[in-house]
Coordinates of all heavy atoms in Angstrom, one line a residue:
M26 N 0.9 -1.2 0.0 CA 0.0 -0.1 -0.1 C 0.9 1.2 -0.1 O 1.9 1.3 0.7 CB -0.9 0.1 1.2 CG -1.7 1.1 1.3 SD -2.7 1.3 2.9 CE -4.2 0.4 2.5
Q27 N 0.6 2.2 -0.9 CA 1.3 3.4 -0.9 C 0.3 4.5 -1.0 O -0.8 4.5 -1.3 CB 2.2 3.5 -2.1 CG 3.3 2.4 -2.3 CD 4.1 2.4 -3.4 OE1 3.6 2.9 -4.5 NE2 5.4 2.2 -3.4
G28 N 0.7 5.8 -0.6 CA -0.1 6.9 -0.7 C 0.7 8.3 -1.0 O 2.0 8.2 -0.8
R29 N 0.1 9.2 -1.6 CA 0.8 10.4 -2.0 C -0.2 11.6 -1.6 O -1.4 11.5 -1.9 CB 1.2 10.4 -3.4 CG 1.9 11.6 -3.8 CD 2.3 11.4 -5.3 NE 2.5 12.7 -5.9 CZ 2.4 13.0 -7.1 NH1 2.1 12.2 -8.0 NH2 2.6 14.2 -7.5
L30 N 0.3 12.7 -1.0 CA -0.5 13.8 -0.8 C -0.9 14.5 -2.1 O -0.1 14.7 -3.0 CB 0.3 14.8 0.1 CG 0.6 14.3 1.5 CD1 1.4 15.4 2.2 CD2 -0.7 14.0 2.2
R31 N -2.1 14.9 -2.3 CA -2.6 15.6 -3.4 C -3.3 16.9 -3.0 O -4.3 16.9 -2.3 CB -3.6 14.8 -4.4 CG -3.0 13.5 -4.7 CD -2.0 13.6 -5.7 NE -2.5 14.0 -6.9 CZ -1.6 14.2 -8.0 NH1 -0.4 14.0 -8.0 NH2 -2.3 14.6 -9.1
F32 N -2.6 18.0 -3.3 CA -3.1 19.3 -2.8 C -4.1 19.8 -3.8 O -3.8 19.8 -5.0 CB -2.0 20.3 -2.6 CG -1.0 19.7 -1.7 CD1 0.2 19.1 -2.1 CD2 -1.2 19.6 -0.3 CE1 1.1 18.6 -1.2 CE2 -0.3 19.1 0.6 CZ 0.9 18.5 0.1
R33 N -5.3 20.4 -3.3 CA -6.2 21.0 -4.1 C -6.0 22.4 -4.5 O -6.5 22.8 -5.6 CB -7.6 20.9 -3.6 CG -8.1 19.5 -3.3 CD -9.4 19.5 -2.4 NE -9.0 19.9 -1.1 CZ -9.8 19.7 -0.1 NH1 -11.1 19.4 -0.2 NH2 -9.4 20.0 1.1
N34 N -5.1 23.1 -3.8 CA -4.7 24.5 -4.1 C -3.4 24.9 -3.4 O -2.9 24.1 -2.7 CB -6.0 25.4 -3.7 CG -6.2 25.2 -2.3 OD1 -5.4 25.4 -1.3 ND2 -7.5 24.9 -2.0
P35 N -3.0 26.0 -3.9 CA -1.6 26.5 -3.2 C -1.7 26.7 -1.7 O -0.7 26.4 -1.0 CB -1.3 27.8 -3.9 CG -2.1 27.7 -5.2 CD -3.4 26.9 -5.0
D36 N -2.9 27.0 -1.2 CA -3.0 27.2 0.3 C -2.8 25.9 1.0 O -2.2 25.8 2.0 CB -4.5 27.8 0.6 CG -4.6 29.2 0.2 OD1 -3.6 29.9 0.0 OD2 -5.7 29.5 -0.1
E37 N -3.4 24.8 0.5 CA -3.1 23.5 1.2 C -1.6 23.1 1.1 O -1.1 22.6 2.1 CB -4.0 22.5 0.4 CG -5.4 22.5 0.8 CD -6.2 21.4 0.2 OE1 -5.7 20.5 -0.5 OE2 -7.4 21.2 0.6
L38 N -1.0 23.4 0.0 CA 0.4 23.1 -0.2 C 1.2 23.9 0.9 O 2.2 23.4 1.6 CB 1.0 23.3 -1.6 CG 2.5 23.2 -1.8 CD1 3.0 21.8 -1.4 CD2 2.8 23.6 -3.2
E39 N 0.8 25.2 1.0 CA 1.6 26.0 2.0 C 1.3 25.5 3.4 O 2.3 25.5 4.2 CB 1.2 27.4 1.9 CG 1.8 28.4 2.8 CD 3.4 28.4 2.8 OE1 3.9 28.1 1.7 OE2 4.0 28.5 3.9
R40 N 0.0 25.1 3.7 CA -0.3 24.6 5.0 C 0.6 23.3 5.4 O 1.2 23.1 6.4 CB -1.6 24.2 5.2 CG -2.1 23.7 6.5 CD -3.6 23.7 6.5 NE -4.0 23.1 7.8 CZ -4.7 22.0 8.1 NH1 -5.1 21.3 7.1 NH2 -4.9 21.6 9.3
A41 N 0.8 22.5 4.4 CA 1.5 21.2 4.5 C 2.9 21.6 4.8 O 3.6 20.9 5.6 CB 1.5 20.3 3.3
R42 N 3.5 22.5 4.1 CA 4.9 23.0 4.4 C 5.0 23.4 5.8 O 6.1 23.2 6.4 CB 5.4 24.0 3.4 CG 5.6 23.4 1.9 CD 6.4 24.3 1.1 NE 6.8 23.5 -0.1 CZ 6.5 23.8 -1.4 NH1 5.7 24.9 -1.7 NH2 6.9 23.1 -2.3
R43 N 4.2 24.3 6.2 CA 4.2 24.7 7.7 C 4.1 23.7 8.7 O 4.6 23.9 9.8 CB 3.0 25.7 7.9 CG 3.2 27.1 7.3 CD 2.3 28.1 7.9 NE 0.9 27.9 7.8 CZ 0.0 28.0 6.9 NH1 0.4 28.5 5.7 NH2 -1.2 27.6 7.0
M44 N 3.4 22.5 8.2 CA 3.4 21.3 9.2 C 4.6 20.4 9.1 O 4.6 19.4 9.7 CB 2.0 20.6 8.9 CG 0.8 21.3 9.1 SD -0.7 20.6 8.6 CE -0.9 19.4 9.8
G45 N 5.5 20.8 8.2 CA 6.8 20.0 8.2 C 7.0 19.2 7.0 O 7.9 18.3 6.8
I46 N 6.0 19.1 6.0 CA 6.2 18.4 4.8 C 7.1 19.1 3.8 O 7.0 20.2 3.4 CB 4.8 18.2 4.1 CG1 3.7 17.6 4.9 CG2 4.9 17.6 2.7 CD1 4.0 16.2 5.3
S47 N 8.4 18.4 3.7 CA 9.4 19.1 3.0 C 9.4 18.6 1.4 O 9.9 19.4 0.6 CB 10.7 18.8 3.5 OG 11.0 17.4 3.6
D48 N 8.9 17.4 1.2 CA 8.7 16.9 -0.2 C 7.3 16.7 -0.5 O 6.9 15.6 -0.3 CB 9.6 15.7 -0.4 CG 9.5 15.1 -1.7 OD1 8.9 15.6 -2.6 OD2 10.1 14.0 -1.9
P49 N 6.6 17.6 -1.3 CA 5.3 17.5 -1.6 C 4.9 16.3 -2.5 O 3.8 15.9 -2.6 CB 4.9 18.8 -2.1 CG 6.1 19.4 -2.5 CD 7.2 18.9 -1.7
D50 N 6.0 15.8 -3.2 CA 5.8 14.7 -4.2 C 6.1 13.4 -3.6 O 6.1 12.3 -4.3 CB 6.6 15.0 -5.5 CG 6.1 16.3 -6.1 OD1 4.9 16.4 -6.3 OD2 7.0 17.1 -6.5
R51 N 6.5 13.3 -2.3 CA 6.9 12.1 -1.8 C 5.8 10.9 -1.8 O 4.6 11.3 -1.7 CB 7.4 12.2 -0.3 CG 7.7 10.9 0.5 CD 8.1 11.3 1.8 NE 8.4 9.9 2.6 CZ 8.5 9.9 3.8 NH1 8.5 10.9 4.6 NH2 8.8 8.7 4.3
I52 N 6.2 9.7 -2.1 CA 5.3 8.7 -2.0 C 5.5 7.9 -0.6 O 6.7 7.4 -0.5 CB 5.6 7.6 -3.3 CG1 5.3 8.4 -4.6 CG2 4.8 6.3 -3.1 CD1 5.6 7.7 -5.8
Y53 N 4.5 7.8 0.0 CA 4.5 7.2 1.4 C 4.2 5.7 1.3 O 3.4 5.3 0.7 CB 3.6 7.9 2.3 CG 3.9 9.4 2.5 CD1 3.4 10.4 1.8 CD2 4.7 9.8 3.7 CE1 3.8 11.6 2.0 CE2 5.1 11.1 3.9 CZ 4.5 12.0 3.0 OH 4.9 13.3 3.3
G54 N 5.2 4.9 2.0 CA 4.9 3.5 2.1 C 4.0 3.1 3.3 O 3.6 3.9 4.2
L55 N 3.7 1.9 3.4 CA 2.8 1.4 4.5 C 3.3 1.7 5.8 O 2.5 2.2 6.8 CB 2.7 -0.1 4.4 CG 1.7 -0.8 5.3 CD1 0.3 -0.2 5.2 CD2 1.7 -2.3 5.1
E56 N 4.6 1.6 6.1 CA 5.2 2.0 7.4 C 5.1 3.5 7.6 O 5.0 3.9 8.9 CB 6.6 1.4 7.5 CG 6.7 0.0 7.7 CD 6.0 -0.6 8.9 OE1 6.1 0.0 9.9 OE2 5.3 -1.7 8.8
D57 N 5.1 4.3 6.6 CA 5.0 5.7 6.8 C 3.6 6.1 7.2 O 3.2 7.0 8.0 CB 5.3 6.5 5.5 CG 6.8 6.3 5.1 OD1 7.7 6.4 5.9 OD2 7.0 5.9 3.9
L58 N 2.6 5.3 6.6 CA 1.2 5.7 6.8 C 0.6 5.2 8.1 O -0.3 5.9 8.6 CB 0.3 5.1 5.6 CG 0.7 5.6 4.3 CD1 0.0 4.8 3.2 CD2 0.3 7.0 4.1
A59 N 1.2 4.1 8.5 CA 0.6 3.4 9.8 C 1.6 2.9 10.6 O 2.2 1.7 10.4 CB -0.5 2.5 9.4
Q60 N 2.1 3.6 11.6 CA 3.2 3.0 12.6 C 2.6 2.7 13.9 O 1.7 3.3 14.4 CB 4.2 4.2 12.7 CG 5.0 4.5 11.4 CD 6.0 5.6 11.6 OE1 6.2 6.0 12.7 NE2 6.5 6.1 10.5
G61 N 3.2 1.7 14.6 CA 2.8 1.3 15.9 C 1.5 0.5 15.8 O 1.1 -0.2 14.8
E62 N 0.8 0.7 16.9 CA -0.6 0.1 17.1 C -1.7 0.9 16.3 O -1.7 2.1 16.7 CB -1.0 0.0 18.6 CG -0.1 -1.0 19.3 CD -0.5 -1.0 20.7 OE1 -1.6 -0.6 21.1 OE2 0.4 -1.5 21.6
V63 N -2.3 0.3 15.4 CA -3.3 1.0 14.5 C -4.6 0.3 14.4 O -4.6 -0.9 14.6 CB -2.7 1.4 13.1 CG1 -1.5 2.3 13.1 CG2 -2.4 0.0 12.4
M64 N -5.6 1.0 14.0 CA -6.9 0.4 13.7 C -7.2 0.9 12.3 O -6.9 2.0 11.9 CB -8.0 0.7 14.6 CG -7.9 0.0 16.0 SD -9.2 0.2 17.0 CE -10.4 -0.9 16.2
F65 N -7.8 0.1 11.5 CA -8.2 0.3 10.1 C -9.7 0.0 9.9 O -10.0 -1.2 10.4 CB -7.3 -0.4 9.1 CG -7.7 -0.3 7.7 CD1 -7.4 0.8 6.9 CD2 -8.6 -1.3 7.1 CE1 -7.9 1.0 5.6 CE2 -8.8 -1.1 5.8 CZ -8.6 0.0 5.0
A66 N -10.5 0.8 9.3 CA -11.8 0.4 9.0 C -12.1 0.9 7.7 O -11.7 2.0 7.2 CB -12.7 1.2 10.0
A67 N -12.9 0.1 6.9 CA -13.3 0.6 5.5 C -14.7 0.0 5.2 O -15.1 -1.1 5.7 CB -12.3 0.0 4.5
T68 N -15.5 0.7 4.6 CA -16.8 0.3 4.1 C -16.8 0.3 2.6 O -16.4 1.5 2.0 CB -18.0 1.1 4.7 OG1 -17.9 1.0 6.1 CG2 -19.3 0.8 4.2
G69 N -17.3 -0.7 1.8 CA -17.3 -0.6 0.4 C -18.4 0.4 -0.1 O -19.5 0.3 0.4
V70 N -18.1 1.1 -1.2 CA -19.0 1.9 -1.8 C -19.4 1.3 -3.1 O -20.7 1.1 -3.4 CB -18.4 3.4 -2.1 CG1 -19.4 4.2 -2.8 CG2 -18.0 4.0 -0.7
T71 N -18.5 0.9 -3.9 CA -18.8 0.1 -5.1 C -18.2 -1.2 -5.0 O -17.3 -1.5 -4.1 CB -18.2 0.8 -6.4 OG1 -16.8 1.0 -6.2 CG2 -18.9 2.1 -6.5
N72 N -18.5 -2.2 -5.7 CA -18.1 -3.5 -5.6 C -16.6 -3.6 -5.9 O -16.1 -2.9 -6.9 CB -18.8 -4.6 -6.5 CG -20.1 -4.9 -6.0 OD1 -20.4 -5.0 -4.7 ND2 -21.1 -5.2 -6.9
G73 N -15.9 -4.4 -5.2 CA -14.3 -4.4 -5.4 C -13.9 -5.8 -5.0 O -14.7 -6.6 -4.6
A74 N -12.6 -6.1 -5.2 CA -12.0 -7.3 -4.8 C -12.1 -7.6 -3.3 O -12.1 -8.7 -2.9 CB -10.6 -7.5 -5.3
F75 N -12.0 -6.5 -2.6 CA -11.9 -6.7 -1.1 C -13.3 -6.5 -0.4 O -13.5 -7.3 0.6 CB -10.9 -5.6 -0.6 CG -10.6 -5.7 0.9 CD1 -10.0 -6.8 1.4 CD2 -10.9 -4.6 1.7 CE1 -9.7 -6.9 2.7 CE2 -10.5 -4.7 3.0 CZ -10.0 -5.8 3.6
L76 N -14.0 -5.7 -0.8 CA -15.4 -5.4 -0.2 C -16.6 -5.3 -1.2 O -16.2 -4.7 -2.3 CB -15.4 -4.1 0.7 CG -14.6 -4.2 2.0 CD1 -14.5 -2.7 2.6 CD2 -15.3 -5.0 3.0
R77 N -17.6 -5.7 -0.9 CA -18.9 -5.5 -1.7 C -19.3 -4.1 -1.5 O -19.1 -3.5 -0.5 CB -19.9 -6.4 -1.3 CG -19.6 -7.9 -1.6 CD -20.7 -8.8 -1.1 NE -21.9 -8.8 -1.9 CZ -23.0 -9.5 -1.6 NH1 -23.0 -10.3 -0.7 NH2 -24.0 -9.3 -2.4
G78 N -19.9 -3.5 -2.5 CA -20.4 -2.1 -2.5 C -21.8 -2.1 -1.8 O -22.4 -3.1 -1.4
V79 N -22.4 -0.8 -1.7 CA -23.6 -0.7 -1.1 C -24.7 -1.4 -2.0 O -24.7 -1.2 -3.2 CB -24.0 0.8 -1.0 CG1 -25.4 1.1 -0.5 CG2 -22.9 1.6 -0.1
Q80 N -25.6 -2.1 -1.4 CA -26.7 -2.7 -2.0 C -28.0 -2.1 -1.6 O -28.4 -2.3 -0.4 CB -26.8 -4.2 -1.8 CG -25.5 -4.9 -2.4 CD -25.7 -6.4 -2.2 OE1 -26.1 -6.9 -1.1 NE2 -25.0 -7.1 -3.1
F81 N -28.6 -1.4 -2.5 CA -30.0 -0.6 -2.1 C -31.1 -1.6 -2.3 O -31.1 -2.5 -3.2 CB -30.1 0.5 -3.1 CG -29.1 1.7 -2.7 CD1 -28.0 1.8 -3.4 CD2 -29.4 2.7 -1.7 CE1 -27.2 2.9 -3.2 CE2 -28.5 3.6 -1.3 CZ -27.4 3.8 -2.2
F82 N -32.0 -1.4 -1.4 CA -33.4 -2.2 -1.6 C -34.4 -1.3 -1.1 O -34.2 -0.2 -0.6 CB -33.3 -3.4 -0.6 CG -33.2 -3.3 0.7 CD1 -34.2 -2.9 1.7 CD2 -31.8 -3.5 1.4 CE1 -34.1 -2.5 3.0 CE2 -31.7 -3.2 2.8 CZ -32.7 -2.7 3.5
S83 N -35.6 -1.7 -1.4 CA -36.8 -0.7 -1.1 C -36.8 -0.2 0.3 O -36.9 -1.2 1.2 CB -38.1 -1.4 -1.4 OG -39.2 -0.6 -1.1
G84 N -36.5 1.0 0.6 CA -36.5 1.4 2.0 C -35.3 1.3 2.7 O -35.1 1.7 4.0
G85 N -34.2 1.0 2.1 CA -32.9 0.9 2.9 C -31.7 0.4 2.0 O -31.8 0.5 0.7
A86 N -30.7 -0.1 2.7 CA -29.4 -0.5 2.0 C -28.7 -1.4 3.0 O -28.9 -1.5 4.1 CB -28.6 0.7 1.7
K87 N -27.9 -2.2 2.3 CA -26.8 -3.1 3.0 C -25.5 -2.5 2.7 O -25.2 -2.2 1.5 CB -27.0 -4.4 2.6 CG -28.0 -5.3 3.2 CD -27.8 -6.8 3.1 CE -28.9 -7.5 3.9 NZ -28.6 -8.9 4.0
T88 N -24.7 -2.6 3.7 CA -23.2 -2.2 3.5 C -22.4 -3.3 4.1 O -22.8 -4.1 5.0 CB -22.9 -0.9 4.3 OG1 -23.2 -0.9 5.6 CG2 -23.7 0.3 3.5
Y89 N -21.2 -3.3 3.5 CA -20.1 -4.3 3.9 C -18.9 -3.5 4.3 O -18.3 -2.8 3.5 CB -19.9 -5.2 2.9 CG -21.2 -5.9 2.3 CD1 -22.0 -5.3 1.4 CD2 -21.6 -7.1 2.9 CE1 -23.3 -5.8 1.0 CE2 -22.8 -7.7 2.5 CZ -23.7 -7.1 1.6 OH -24.8 -7.6 1.2
S90 N -18.4 -3.9 5.6 CA -17.3 -3.2 6.2 C -16.3 -4.2 6.8 O -16.7 -5.3 7.0 CB -17.7 -2.3 7.3 OG -18.7 -1.4 6.8
V91 N -15.0 -3.7 6.9 CA -14.0 -4.5 7.7 C -13.3 -3.6 8.6 O -13.2 -2.4 8.4 CB -13.0 -5.1 6.6 CG1 -12.2 -4.0 6.0 CG2 -12.0 -6.0 7.3
V92 N -13.1 -4.1 9.8 CA -12.3 -3.4 10.8 C -11.0 -4.3 11.3 O -11.3 -5.5 11.6 CB -13.2 -3.1 12.1 CG1 -12.3 -2.3 13.2 CG2 -14.4 -2.3 11.8
M93 N -9.9 -3.8 11.3 CA -8.7 -4.5 11.6 C -7.9 -3.8 12.7 O -7.9 -2.6 12.8 CB -7.8 -4.6 10.5 CG -8.4 -5.3 9.3 SD -7.1 -5.3 7.9 CE -8.1 -5.9 6.6
R94 N -7.4 -4.6 13.8 CA -6.6 -4.1 14.7 C -5.3 -4.8 14.8 O -5.1 -6.0 14.9 CB -7.4 -4.3 16.1 CG -6.8 -3.7 17.3 CD -7.6 -3.9 18.7 NE -7.0 -3.3 19.7 CZ -7.0 -3.7 20.8 NH1 -7.8 -4.9 21.2 NH2 -6.4 -3.1 21.9
S95 N -4.2 -4.0 14.8 CA -2.9 -4.5 14.7 C -2.4 -5.2 16.0 O -1.8 -6.2 15.9 CB -1.9 -3.5 14.3 OG -1.8 -2.5 15.3
K96 N -2.8 -4.6 17.2 CA -2.4 -5.2 18.5 C -2.9 -6.6 18.7 O -2.0 -7.4 19.0 CB -2.9 -4.2 19.6 CG -2.4 -4.7 20.9 CD -2.8 -3.7 22.0 CE -2.3 -4.1 23.3 NZ -2.8 -3.1 24.4
S97 N -4.1 -6.9 18.4 CA -4.5 -8.2 18.5 C -4.7 -9.1 17.3 O -4.9 -10.3 17.4 CB -6.1 -8.1 19.1 OG -6.9 -7.5 18.2
G98 N -4.5 -8.4 16.1 CA -4.6 -9.2 14.9 C -6.0 -9.6 14.6 O -6.3 -10.2 13.7
T99 N -6.9 -8.8 15.2 CA -8.4 -9.2 15.0 C -8.8 -8.5 13.6 O -8.5 -7.4 13.3 CB -9.2 -8.4 16.0 OG1 -8.8 -9.1 17.3 CG2 -10.6 -8.8 15.9
I100 N -9.6 -9.3 12.9 CA -10.2 -8.8 11.7 C -11.6 -9.1 11.8 O -12.1 -10.2 12.0 CB -9.6 -9.4 10.3 CG1 -8.2 -9.2 10.3 CG2 -10.4 -8.9 9.1 CD1 -7.5 -10.0 9.2
R101 N -12.5 -8.0 11.7 CA -13.9 -8.2 11.8 C -14.6 -7.7 10.5 O -14.2 -6.7 9.9 CB -14.4 -7.2 12.9 CG -14.1 -7.6 14.3 CD -14.6 -6.6 15.3 NE -14.3 -7.0 16.7 CZ -13.2 -6.7 17.3 NH1 -12.3 -6.0 16.7 NH2 -12.9 -7.1 18.6
S102 N -15.5 -8.6 10.0 CA -16.2 -8.4 8.8 C -17.7 -7.9 9.3 O -18.2 -8.8 10.1 CB -16.3 -9.5 7.9 OG -15.1 -9.8 7.4
I103 N -18.2 -6.9 8.7 CA -19.5 -6.5 9.3 C -20.4 -6.2 8.0 O -20.1 -5.5 7.2 CB -19.3 -5.1 10.0 CG1 -18.4 -5.3 11.3 CG2 -20.8 -4.6 10.5 CD1 -17.9 -3.9 11.8
E104 N -21.6 -6.9 8.2 CA -22.7 -6.7 7.2 C -23.8 -6.0 7.9 O -24.3 -6.4 8.9 CB -23.1 -8.0 6.7 CG -24.3 -7.9 5.7 CD -24.7 -9.3 5.2 OE1 -23.9 -10.2 4.9 OE2 -26.0 -9.4 5.2
S105 N -24.1 -4.8 7.4 CA -25.0 -3.9 8.1 C -26.3 -3.7 7.2 O -26.2 -3.5 6.0 CB -24.5 -2.6 8.5 OG -23.4 -2.8 9.3
T106 N -27.5 -3.7 7.9 CA -28.7 -3.3 7.2 C -29.2 -1.9 7.6 O -29.3 -1.8 8.9 CB -29.9 -4.4 7.4 OG1 -29.3 -5.6 6.9 CG2 -31.1 -4.0 6.6
H107 N -29.5 -1.0 6.8 CA -29.9 0.3 7.2 C -31.3 0.5 6.6 O -31.6 0.3 5.5 CB -28.9 1.4 6.4 CG -27.5 1.2 6.7 ND1 -26.9 1.6 7.9 CD2 -26.6 0.3 6.1 CE1 -25.6 1.2 7.9 NE2 -25.4 0.4 6.7
H108 N -32.2 1.0 7.7 CA -33.5 1.3 7.2 C -33.7 2.8 7.1 O -33.6 3.5 8.2 CB -34.5 0.7 8.3 CG -34.3 -0.9 8.3 ND1 -35.0 -1.7 7.4 CD2 -33.7 -1.7 9.1 CE1 -34.7 -2.9 7.6 NE2 -33.9 -2.9 8.7
F109 N -34.0 3.3 5.9 CA -34.1 4.7 5.8 C -35.3 5.4 6.5 O -35.2 6.6 6.7 CB -34.2 5.1 4.3 CG -33.0 4.7 3.5 CD1 -33.0 4.4 2.1 CD2 -31.7 4.6 4.1 CE1 -31.9 4.0 1.4 CE2 -30.6 4.1 3.4 CZ -30.6 3.9 2.1
D110 N -36.2 4.7 7.0 CA -37.5 5.3 7.6 C -37.1 5.4 9.1 O -38.0 5.9 9.8 CB -38.7 4.5 7.3 CG -38.7 3.0 7.9 OD1 -37.5 2.5 8.1 OD2 -39.7 2.4 7.9
R111 N -36.0 5.1 9.5 CA -35.7 5.3 10.9 C -34.6 6.3 11.0 O -33.8 6.5 10.1 CB -35.3 4.0 11.6 CG -36.3 3.0 11.5 CD -35.9 1.8 12.2 NE -37.0 0.7 12.0 CZ -37.0 -0.5 12.2 NH1 -35.8 -1.0 12.8 NH2 -38.0 -1.4 12.2
K112 N -34.3 6.9 12.3 CA -33.3 7.8 12.4 C -32.0 7.0 12.4 O -31.9 6.0 12.9 CB -33.5 8.6 13.7 CG -34.6 9.5 13.6 CD -34.7 10.6 14.7 CE -35.8 11.6 14.4 NZ -35.7 12.6 15.4
P113 N -30.8 7.7 12.0 CA -30.8 9.0 11.4 C -31.5 9.0 10.0 O -31.6 7.9 9.4 CB -29.3 9.3 11.3 CG -28.7 8.1 11.3 CD -29.5 7.1 12.2
N114 N -31.8 10.1 9.6 CA -32.6 10.2 8.3 C -31.7 10.0 7.0 O -30.9 10.9 6.7 CB -33.4 11.5 8.3 CG -34.2 11.6 7.0 OD1 -34.3 10.6 6.2 ND2 -35.0 12.7 6.8
Y115 N -31.8 8.9 6.4 CA -30.9 8.5 5.2 C -31.9 8.7 4.0 O -31.4 8.3 2.9 CB -30.4 7.2 5.3 CG -29.4 6.9 6.4 CD1 -29.7 6.0 7.5 CD2 -28.3 7.6 6.5 CE1 -28.8 5.8 8.4 CE2 -27.3 7.3 7.4 CZ -27.5 6.4 8.5 OH -26.7 6.1 9.5
G116 N -32.9 9.3 4.1 CA -33.9 9.5 3.0 C -33.3 9.9 1.7 O -33.6 9.4 0.6
W117 N -32.5 10.9 1.8 CA -31.8 11.4 0.6 C -31.0 10.3 -0.2 O -30.8 10.4 -1.5 CB -30.9 12.6 0.8 CG -29.8 12.3 1.7 CD1 -29.8 12.3 3.1 CD2 -28.5 11.9 1.3 NE1 -28.5 11.9 3.5 CE2 -27.7 11.7 2.4 CE3 -27.8 11.8 0.0 CZ2 -26.4 11.3 2.3 CZ3 -26.5 11.4 0.0 CH2 -25.8 11.2 1.2
L118 N -30.5 9.3 0.5 CA -29.7 8.3 -0.1 C -30.5 7.4 -1.0 O -30.1 6.7 -2.0 CB -29.1 7.3 1.0 CG -27.8 7.9 1.6 CD1 -27.4 7.0 2.8 CD2 -26.7 8.2 0.6
S119 N -31.8 7.3 -0.7 CA -32.7 6.4 -1.6 C -32.8 6.8 -3.0 O -33.1 6.0 -3.9 CB -34.1 6.2 -1.0 OG -34.7 7.6 -1.0
T120 N -32.4 8.0 -3.3 CA -32.5 8.5 -4.7 C -31.2 8.1 -5.5 O -31.3 8.1 -6.7 CB -32.5 10.1 -4.8 OG1 -31.4 10.6 -4.1 CG2 -33.7 10.6 -4.0
I121 N -30.2 7.7 -4.8 CA -28.9 7.4 -5.5 C -29.1 6.1 -6.2 O -28.6 6.0 -7.4 CB -27.8 7.1 -4.5 CG1 -27.4 8.5 -3.8 CG2 -26.5 6.6 -5.1 CD1 -26.4 8.4 -2.6
G122 N -29.7 5.0 -5.8 CA -29.8 3.8 -6.5 C -30.9 3.7 -7.5 O -31.2 2.7 -8.2
S123 N -31.7 4.8 -7.6 CA -33.0 4.7 -8.5 C -32.5 5.2 -9.9 O -31.7 5.8 -10.3 CB -34.0 5.8 -8.1 OG -34.1 6.0 -6.8

């Protein structure tokens, strides 16, 4: 896994420099991105090799997530069902899959 900072405007680049970023084009490796004890969580938006994407159904949606903890080596897979007619109000999401 690798990552690189992408600045949207000169103000963001200047802010990063003030925070100690000396090479704005640096490619960060896994050890740079996550050192020590870390937790990682992700929820699929579209279908992929790692996670399924959001599946809409009448009145709701299903999501698929993973949570990993380095200290214990625990990996949790979570399948959640969301009902749009209950709080919090997700009603605006029902228009996405239509």
Side-chain angles (χ1 to χ4, degrees):
M26 179 186 269
Q27 296 179 328
R29 184 173 155 207
L30 297 173
R31 302 296 288 181
F32 304 103
R33 294 174 287 189
N34 55 54
D36 291 337
E37 286 186 353
L38 175 59
E39 180 55 34
R40 181 173 180 237
R42 287 197 167 119
R43 286 194 311 269
M44 295 173 76
I46 302 294
S47 58
D48 180 3
D50 296 317
R51 178 178 174 192
I52 296 174
Y53 295 89
L55 185 59
E56 291 298 319
D57 299 312
L58 297 170
Q60 297 177 7
E62 293 179 15
V63 295
M64 289 188 74
F65 171 82
T68 299
V70 176
T71 59
N72 286 329
F75 187 59
L76 286 169
R77 294 173 72 178
V79 178
Q80 294 182 329
F81 291 95
F82 59 85
S83 179
K87 275 196 171 188
T88 57
Y89 303 87
S90 305
V91 65
V92 179
M93 300 178 188
R94 183 175 182 215
S95 66
K96 184 176 183 179
S97 62
T99 303
I100 301 173
R101 292 179 176 87
S102 297
I103 304 167
E104 179 180 315
S105 302
T106 302
H107 308 272
H108 297 280
F109 296 156
D110 60 347
R111 299 185 186 168
K112 289 194 174 186
N114 184 359
Y115 297 115
W117 63 273
L118 282 175
S119 62
T120 61
I121 295 174
S123 334

